[in-house]
Amino acid sequence: MSDVKIYQASATAPVNIAVVKYWGKRDQKLNLPTNSSISVTLSQSDLRAHTTASCSLSYSSGDTLLLNSKPEDVTNARIQACFRELRTLRSHVESCDSSLPRISHLPLRIVSQNNFPTAAGLASSAAGFAALVFAIAKLYELPTSSTDLSRIARQGSGSACRSLFGGFVEWQMGKLDDGSDSIAVQIAPASHWSTLKALILVISGSKKDVSSTSGMQATTKTSELFNRRVETVVPANIKMMQSAIMKKDFETFAKVTMSDSNNFHATCLDTYPPIFYMNDISRATIRLVEYLNCILNRTVAAYTFDAGPNAVIYYQEEDEKLVVGHVKGILGHVDGWQGRGATVSPLINDGFDQRATELLHNGVSRVIMTGIGDGPISIVESLITDNGKPL
Amino acid sequence: MSDVKIYQASATAPVNIAVVKYWGKRDQKLNLPTNSSISVTLSQSDLRAHTTASCSLSYSSGDTLLLNSKPEDVTNARIQACFRELRTLRSHVESCDSSLPRISHLPLRIVSQNNFPTAAGLASSAAGFAALVFAIAKLYELPTSSTDLSRIARQGSGSACRSLFGGFVEWQMGKLDDGSDSIAVQIAPASHWSTLKALILVISGSKKDVSSTSGMQATTKTSELFNRRVETVVPANIKMMQSAIMKKDFETFAKVTMSDSNNFHATCLDTYPPIFYMNDISRATIRLVEYLNCILNRTVAAYTFDAGPNAVIYYQEEDEKLVVGHVKGILGHVDGWQGRGATVSPLINDGFDQRATELLHNGVSRVIMTGIGDGPISIVESLITDNGKPL
């Protein structure tokens, strides 16, 4: 019977880690940011959200979303905004071509899985909303560009718009009240600078104090320094970062990445009451990166921290032995090395601050070695059975 | 023999803890600040520098300074500046009154002792330079006002100028290139608000990364947010703080104290490379103060942090049981309670974050209970013998 047909499509989408940070909304409902931002898309081999979108008249319980086997509340305004936008586009396509099945009004069943622990605080919502929007767009066979999809994903989770592209991505803040010009664009594909690598240190311990959304609200409302970040610091960092990426100038890339991360966390500390995302272990990571760049007498590594204690260290493939090798000298006992990162000379390790070494040794629970990667991809592997049951 | 006469005078001077912070010099040599600051002078019963200044023709080895039984280098430009200014004033007095002994050219022997560990990082240089300048002024019998002495002490250590007064003190940044208008003035004496108390948590562990002097230089040079602090944030905080002090309005006093401390540390974090003075234990103290103010539904305590991890918590005498009692519930095992601060209901303690409680329990090495106090005083007790030997 055609009326119980199950339509479905599957996709994966990547995590992205900003090098010029998004912090602050000028419109809460539309997720319009107070400043532009730039990110690096990480490889989906290591970190990805996998989503199957399906719809069917046989889905009697209305729209549903299963995330890592747990039902999510789809009445959430952000999820609703994505569903509504995508349904409107499908309905338009249907109205233009009477041969197409009428599926825009059918209940949606979305099943999504991350290949990394959500609790690790690794920008999972960005990958999740990008995969959700991309999978539904494919289910609906929409002729929509990635930039148009980024506008929709942004309404789910701001930084999700950047996960619609691979490589180096700018989220242009836009100026319009309706958010139609607040979109992601690709600065350069992953292939432009494929030797850029990322080492993630997952730092255990304290749960996040303050969610990104409420943290941003508090900062925009109470920080006296925040306007300066938005008006002066970020526009300068965006320009320097665009140029550094085009020239593959790691030194400038690193400098802007580190100082923008610090600048963002400074506005968090200037919030009232103050917000702290980094802890003593995060700071030990900063000291380690500074130490490496200092003893090697050139910039081989750059740290950055999102709204949590985990560190992301960017480096270039040719320096992997130096950077990863050195970190492994301290963190050899934790999971995630994949047999890589031979320990470098203990002479180098020995010179590093003993207390910071101990903090890292005891405080990092695992590492993830990854690199720059591509945008969302359609895949065949489905998370639901042919008769629509979640696997 | 009169030519081997030992002239001497002794004084003590207090520590001061800023509630609107000094950070940044517009002139390195003269210690001229980029912004005005306000501090509270703490009681000398608990924290003081004790200095004996003496001079004699019999002192053959030139000027000397013994600080906590350790010889200091008096060729240091800052010490030299204080000596020079005071000698010039004495020499002027001598030239006006021929009956006075000619002592301005005699070698100085200064002996100084703090009644608290210098290593604790408790603004010891402020108390030290204030005591040094005050003791020499007394030795020279100078008719100089405290404000004029503050101008001299400032050249030794910027914040020392504020330790020339008791109570609530403003260091007015001034505008002139020669620093003659960069002086301390008293906003109100200690008696104006004698119920203001301070509880200091001495946080053990990591030594200071970056000295105040080099930290300030780095911040003024590299922080993009620093100008905003200097131009907008501090002038507003100075005004609010002056008014809060005059009105004894603890809520505003507390709010400005806490947000100015955070704002200062935010500019440190925005420095490149970043400077961190607070650690996880400092942050646990912030959480504790926030928790107390929240469960009691009014502002009973305010935290502030200088260029180091130690916390100073201001509160009012009438809330001592609540504030000190609560802190003692966590830190009862450390030194410094003087039998005060009965533990309050465990119900209140139980609600506070377990991880922050552990950090405080293990990371605070002692407490100092003190209050607001007076400026430098002349005392008889000398640190040298009648024949000029250090005791």
Side-chain angles (χ1 to χ4, degrees):
Chain A
M1 297 178 291
S2 73
D3 60 353
V4 292
K5 184 173 157 94
I6 311 286
Y7 298 89
Q8 63 161 290
S10 296
T12 65
V15 162
N16 72 77
I17 300 289
V19 289
V20 177
K21 303 290 187 193
Y22 157 47
W23 195 252
K25 301 181 199 231
R26 62 178 209 274
D27 184 306
Q28 296 286 334
K29 200 174 143 240
L30 292 170
N31 276 344
L32 301 181
T34 49
N35 60 260
S36 297
S37 54
I38 294 178
S39 60
V40 174
T41 296
L42 299 186
S43 168
Q44 295 181 60
S45 315
D46 303 299
L47 299 164
R48 73 166 171 278
H50 175 190
T51 298
T52 295
S54 74
C55 60
S56 172
L57 193 56
S58 69
Y59 293 166
S60 51
S61 52
D63 297 337
T64 57
L65 168 57
L66 212 62
L67 173 59
N68 294 324
S69 310
K70 233 188 61 190
E72 291 285 311
D73 176 15
V74 291
T75 64
N76 176 308
R78 294 163 164 220
I79 296 171
Q80 282 297 319
C82 293
F83 285 179
R84 188 176 55 243
E85 296 264 0
L86 291 158
R87 279 189 163 118
T88 303
L89 291 173
R90 170 68 193 184
S91 142
H92 179 69
V93 170
E94 289 171 4
S95 72
C96 297
D97 181 349
S98 61
S99 74
L100 291 176
R102 266 42 187 165
I103 60 172
S104 66
H105 64 288
L106 297 181
L108 283 161
R109 176 171 294 172
I110 315 290
V111 183
S112 189
Q113 292 281 356
N114 297 331
N115 70 339
F116 56 93
T118 305
L122 287 166
S124 53
S125 71
F129 272 103
L132 177 138
V133 168
F134 195 84
I136 298 176
K138 190 184 156 203
L139 171 75
Y140 286 168
E141 296 178 324
L142 301 177
T144 314
S145 70
S146 293
T147 286
D148 287 332
L149 292 183
S150 80
R151 192 184 292 115
I152 298 171
R154 187 203 72 225
Q155 297 175 56
S157 168
S159 56
C161 72
R162 298 187 310 238
S163 277
L164 262 303
F165 291 93
F168 301 88
V169 185
E170 179 177 346
W171 174 9
Q172 298 174 338
M173 62 176 289
K175 287 177 176 177
L176 301 175
D177 284 345
D178 68 358
S180 56
D181 59 347
S182 187
I183 50 165
V185 296
Q186 191 177 58
I187 296 173
S191 58
H192 166 70
W193 194 358
S194 61
T195 54
L196 191 72
K197 301 290 169 185
L199 173 64
I200 303 172
L201 308 190
V202 179
I203 292 173
S204 50
S206 51
K207 61 177 196 314
K208 200 191 276 193
D209 257 2
V210 180
S211 76
S212 302
T213 298
S214 59
M216 284 183 198
Q217 273 183 279
T219 302
T220 48
K221 217 164 142 184
T222 66
S223 167
E224 296 287 344
L225 303 178
F226 178 70
N227 278 347
R228 174 102 186 159
R229 168 167 172 77
V230 164
E231 287 163 15
T232 309
V233 178
V234 171
N237 285 349
I238 291 274
K239 271 195 184 161
M240 283 189 283
M241 184 55 82
Q242 287 167 334
S243 154
I245 289 167
M246 291 322 292
K247 292 179 194 159
K248 295 184 262 190
D249 167 0
F250 187 76
E251 190 170 342
T252 306
F253 173 89
K255 169 83 197 282
V256 176
T257 296
M258 294 187 280
S259 62
D260 191 81
S261 174
N262 294 334
N263 186 272
F264 145 55
H265 289 280
T267 66
C268 291
L269 173 47
D270 188 50
T271 301
Y272 191 80
I275 303 168
F276 298 101
Y277 289 121
M278 292 193 282
N279 62 22
D280 283 355
I281 304 157
S282 314
R283 276 190 296 285
T285 308
I286 292 180
R287 293 295 171 244
L288 178 61
V289 169
E290 285 173 355
Y291 174 76
L292 275 175
N293 291 338
C294 181
I295 49 163
L296 298 168
N297 213 19
R298 65 190 172 89
T299 306
V300 294
Y303 55 79
T304 187
F305 298 84
D306 281 352
N310 294 331
V312 176
I313 300 173
Y314 287 113
Y315 62 95
Q316 294 183 97
E317 194 167 40
E318 66 247 42
D319 294 321
E320 184 165 300
K321 274 199 178 166
L322 290 170
V323 178
V324 178
H326 192 89
V327 176
K328 198 178 177 185
I330 297 170
L331 298 176
H333 62 292
V334 307
D335 278 344
W337 290 110
Q338 308 164 13
R340 285 191 282 174
T343 304
V344 288
S345 160
L347 283 176
I348 297 186
N349 272 328
D350 282 356
F352 183 56
D353 184 74
Q354 192 53 40
R355 172 147 170 77
T357 302
E358 277 167 35
L359 279 166
L360 288 166
H361 187 89
N362 299 324
V364 174
S365 58
R366 65 166 295 157
V367 299
I368 298 167
M369 290 183 67
T370 187
I372 191 165
D374 296 320
I377 47 174
S378 294
I379 62 168
V380 173
E381 196 189 347
S382 173
L383 296 170
I384 62 169
T385 63
D386 287 346
N387 61 0
K389 300 281 171 233
L391 282 170
Chain B
M1 298 178 293
S2 74
D3 60 351
V4 293
K5 184 174 158 99
I6 311 285
Y7 298 88
Q8 63 161 290
S10 297
T12 64
V15 161
N16 73 77
I17 300 290
V19 289
V20 178
K21 303 290 187 194
Y22 158 47
W23 195 252
K25 302 181 199 233
R26 63 177 207 275
D27 184 306
Q28 297 285 335
K29 201 174 143 240
L30 293 170
N31 277 344
L32 301 180
T34 49
N35 59 259
S36 297
S37 54
I38 293 178
S39 59
V40 174
T41 296
L42 300 185
S43 168
Q44 295 181 61
S45 316
D46 304 298
L47 299 164
R48 73 167 170 277
H50 176 189
T51 298
T52 295
S54 73
C55 59
S56 172
L57 193 56
S58 69
Y59 293 166
S60 53
S61 52
D63 298 337
T64 57
L65 168 57
L66 212 62
L67 174 59
N68 294 323
S69 310
K70 233 187 64 190
E72 291 284 311
D73 176 15
V74 292
T75 64
N76 176 308
R78 292 163 165 221
I79 295 171
Q80 282 298 319
C82 294
F83 286 180
R84 188 176 53 243
E85 295 264 1
L86 290 158
R87 281 190 162 117
T88 303
L89 291 172
R90 170 67 191 182
S91 143
H92 179 67
V93 170
E94 289 172 5
S95 72
C96 297
D97 182 349
S98 61
S99 74
L100 292 176
R102 266 40 188 168
I103 59 171
S104 66
H105 64 288
L106 297 180
L108 284 160
R109 178 171 292 171
I110 316 289
V111 183
S112 189
Q113 292 281 355
N114 298 330
N115 70 339
F116 56 94
T118 305
L122 286 167
S124 53
S125 71
F129 272 103
L132 178 138
V133 168
F134 195 84
I136 298 176
K138 191 185 155 202
L139 171 73
Y140 287 167
E141 296 180 324
L142 301 178
T144 314
S145 70
S146 293
T147 288
D148 286 333
L149 293 182
S150 81
R151 193 185 290 116
I152 299 171
R154 187 203 73 225
Q155 296 174 58
S157 168
S159 56
C161 72
R162 296 187 312 238
S163 278
L164 262 303
F165 291 93
F168 301 88
V169 185
E170 178 177 346
W171 174 9
Q172 297 174 339
M173 62 177 289
K175 286 176 176 177
L176 302 175
D177 284 346
D178 68 358
S180 56
D181 59 347
S182 187
I183 49 165
V185 296
Q186 189 177 59
I187 296 173
S191 58
H192 166 70
W193 194 357
S194 61
T195 53
L196 190 72
K197 301 290 169 186
L199 174 63
I200 303 173
L201 308 190
V202 179
I203 292 172
S204 50
S206 50
K207 62 179 194 314
K208 201 191 274 192
D209 257 1
V210 180
S211 77
S212 302
T213 298
S214 60
M216 284 183 196
Q217 273 184 280
T219 301
T220 47
K221 216 165 144 185
T222 66
S223 167
E224 295 288 345
L225 302 178
F226 178 71
N227 278 349
R228 174 105 188 157
R229 166 165 174 78
V230 164
E231 288 163 15
T232 309
V233 177
V234 171
N237 285 350
I238 291 274
K239 272 196 184 161
M240 283 189 285
M241 184 55 81
Q242 286 168 333
S243 153
I245 289 167
M246 292 322 293
K247 292 181 195 157
K248 296 183 260 189
D249 167 1
F250 187 76
E251 189 170 343
T252 306
F253 174 88
K255 169 83 197 285
V256 176
T257 296
M258 295 187 279
S259 63
D260 191 81
S261 174
N262 295 333
N263 186 272
F264 147 53
H265 289 280
T267 66
C268 291
L269 173 47
D270 188 50
T271 301
Y272 191 81
I275 303 169
F276 298 101
Y277 289 120
M278 292 192 282
N279 62 21
D280 283 355
I281 304 156
S282 316
R283 278 190 295 284
T285 308
I286 292 180
R287 292 295 170 242
L288 178 62
V289 168
E290 286 173 353
Y291 174 76
L292 274 174
N293 290 339
C294 182
I295 49 163
L296 297 169
N297 212 21
R298 65 190 172 89
T299 306
V300 293
Y303 55 78
T304 186
F305 298 84
D306 280 352
N310 294 332
V312 176
I313 300 173
Y314 287 114
Y315 62 94
Q316 293 183 98
E317 195 166 37
E318 67 246 42
D319 294 321
E320 184 165 299
K321 274 200 178 165
L322 289 169
V323 176
V324 178
H326 191 89
V327 175
K328 198 178 178 186
I330 296 170
L331 297 177
H333 62 292
V334 305
D335 278 344
W337 290 110
Q338 307 164 14
R340 284 190 284 175
T343 304
V344 289
S345 159
L347 283 175
I348 297 186
N349 272 328
D350 282 357
F352 183 56
D353 183 73
Q354 191 55 38
R355 173 147 169 78
T357 301
E358 277 167 34
L359 279 166
L360 288 166
H361 186 89
N362 299 323
V364 175
S365 57
R366 65 166 296 156
V367 299
I368 298 167
M369 289 183 68
T370 189
I372 191 164
D374 296 320
I377 46 174
S378 293
I379 62 167
V380 172
E381 195 189 347
S382 172
L383 296 172
I384 64 170
T385 64
D386 286 344
N387 60 359
K389 300 282 170 230
L391 283 170

